[in-house]
């Protein structure tokens, strides 16, 4: 009966509310990294409510509920790796532009019917995402990666604080646009200790896919594996950085973080906006 009500509402042209959740990184299979590392992610979500939702993560489904790109999230149930109805299957065909290299996924969670109470809204769901190096799984269980809910998307200038710089570590800066198909940003790098501007760069993030696809399952994003790309040539890096991200496009919603990986142990540390 609940499903019939949902279909009737959709047929009348009323779009049900959608809740967006960003998985900043998601590897379906181990992906090669530097120094022999093999990176993978583990993802899970729990629905503690008596209401049913469905999750969409790619544009290949012809069935709005049970197609190749959606899964039901049953009441009082959880999604965990290894369970048939719970894993996120790979993108199919040309819809996956990253070709197995991993990348962000923007999930769209919809109720099967308009929730009668606020408690049924997807914001009460619990998530987990962990990134780990499978080649060192005996000594390191990996690092928790934030699953970013839409109320945590940033709309104003945001800073990543106290980013350490050392030859033993490699830094990767990632930035995601979560609302616009094309968005501009100014990224500034400061010396954390003195607040001196070290350098800045303008970035434009644009969507990969055809414009008739409404939902951005792989949102516009950039991954910069060398922080020096944000600075003038031959600029010396201070010991710690503050990275400021200023959106320049009206309506922009974004998120960003820096990963810090030890070249020897592959231990992963994240600096996120807080």
């Amino acid at each position: 009966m609940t499903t019939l009500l949902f279909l009737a509402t959709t047929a009348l042209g009323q779009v049900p509310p959608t809740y967006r959740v960003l998985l900043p990184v998601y590897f379906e299979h181990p992906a090669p990294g530097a120094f022999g590392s093999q990176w993978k992610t583990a993802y899970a979500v729990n629905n503690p409510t008596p209401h049913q939702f469905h999750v969409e993560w790619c544009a290949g489904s012809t069935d709005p509920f049970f197609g190749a790109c959606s899964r039901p999230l049953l009441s009082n149930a959880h999604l965990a790796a290894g369970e048939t109805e719970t894993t996120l299957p790979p993108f199919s065909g040309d819809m996956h532009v990253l070709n197995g290299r991993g990348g962000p996924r923007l999930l769209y969670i919809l109720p099967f019917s308009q929730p009668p109470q606020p408690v049924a809204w997807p914001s009460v769901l619990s998530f987990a995402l962990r990134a780990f190096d499978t080649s060192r799984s005996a000594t390191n269980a990996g690092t928790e990666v934030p699953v970013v809910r839409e109320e945590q998307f940033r709309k104003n200038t945001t800073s990543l604080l106290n980013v350490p710089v050392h030859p033993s570590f490699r830094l990767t800066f990632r930035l995601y646009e979560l609302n616009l198909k094309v968005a501009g940003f100014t990224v500034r790098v400061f010396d954390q200790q003195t607040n001196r501007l070290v350098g800045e760069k303008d970035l434009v993030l644009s969507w990969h896919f055809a414009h008739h696809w409404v939902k951005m399952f792989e949102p516009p994003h950039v991954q910069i594996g060398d922080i020096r790309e944000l600075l003038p040539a031959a600029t010396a890096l201070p010991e710690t950085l503050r990275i400021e991200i200023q959106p320049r496009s009206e309506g922009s919603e974004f998120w960003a973080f820096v990963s810090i990986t030890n070249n020897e142990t592959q231990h992963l540390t994240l600096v996120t906006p807080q």
Side-chain angles (χ1 to χ4, degrees):
M1 184 65 173
T2 301
T3 302
L4 291 176
L5 289 172
F6 182 88
L7 291 173
T9 301
T10 304
L12 291 174
Q14 299 178 8
V15 179
T18 302
Y19 188 75
R20 295 172 296 156
V21 172
L22 172 69
L23 306 185
V25 292
Y26 185 84
F27 299 99
E28 297 157 6
H29 307 288
F35 301 97
S37 56
Q38 295 285 326
W39 293 97
K40 198 174 186 304
T41 53
Y43 163 77
V45 56
N46 177 258
N47 175 15
T49 78
H51 305 280
Q52 184 171 340
F53 303 95
H54 75 278
V55 183
E56 299 179 27
W57 61 92
C58 67
S61 179
T62 56
D63 186 318
F65 307 113
F66 301 103
C69 290
S70 64
R71 281 288 190 276
L73 181 51
L74 304 178
S75 60
N76 300 306
H78 68 279
L79 306 191
E83 298 181 1
T84 303
E85 73 165 1
T86 66
T87 55
L88 298 183
F91 286 136
S92 58
D94 295 335
M95 291 172 231
H96 189 10
V97 300
L98 296 177
N99 297 320
R101 291 184 287 112
R105 296 207 178 178
L106 192 57
L107 308 183
Y108 294 81
I109 303 175
L110 292 82
F112 272 93
S113 63
Q114 182 69 33
Q117 300 292 337
V119 72
W121 188 240
S123 60
V124 303
L125 301 177
S126 297
F127 298 92
L129 181 64
R130 179 170 52 91
F132 54 97
D133 176 13
T134 61
S135 71
R136 293 167 174 81
S137 57
T139 58
N140 192 329
T143 297
E144 182 179 59
V145 178
V147 175
V148 190
R149 303 165 184 267
E150 65 177 22
E151 62 267 24
Q152 297 172 312
F153 297 170
R154 298 302 175 113
K155 299 179 181 180
N156 302 308
T157 299
T158 296
S159 289
L160 303 171
L161 304 179
N162 209 30
V163 180
V165 177
H166 192 277
S168 298
F169 299 92
R170 58 187 187 274
L171 308 182
T172 300
F173 170 74
R174 293 176 173 89
L175 174 62
Y176 311 87
E177 169 57 42
L178 304 168
N179 191 46
L180 304 176
K181 293 181 178 179
V182 179
F185 296 87
T186 297
V187 180
R188 300 181 180 92
V189 179
F190 295 85
D191 183 329
Q192 174 75 47
Q193 301 302 318
T194 66
N195 207 37
R196 174 179 62 89
L197 178 64
V198 180
E200 66 178 73
K201 187 171 185 177
D202 290 334
L203 300 175
V204 176
L205 276 58
S206 58
W207 201 30
H208 300 289
F209 297 111
H211 292 294
H212 65 275
W213 288 7
V214 176
K215 294 180 179 177
M216 299 188 300
F217 296 96
E218 284 185 289
H221 61 280
V222 66
Q223 175 176 312
I224 297 176
D226 187 348
I227 294 296
R228 291 178 177 83
E229 293 182 24
L230 299 172
L231 310 176
T235 300
L237 286 172
E239 291 185 358
T240 54
L241 307 176
R242 175 171 67 88
I243 301 176
E244 179 184 273
I245 305 105
Q246 178 184 1
R248 294 188 288 106
S249 301
E250 185 176 356
S252 174
E253 296 180 357
F254 67 96
W255 202 74
F257 78 103
V258 172
S259 61
I260 306 161
T261 311
N262 184 283
N263 291 328
E264 181 177 354
T265 66
Q266 303 306 310
H267 179 76
L268 181 64
T269 302
L270 304 184
V271 177
T272 63
Q274 299 185 50

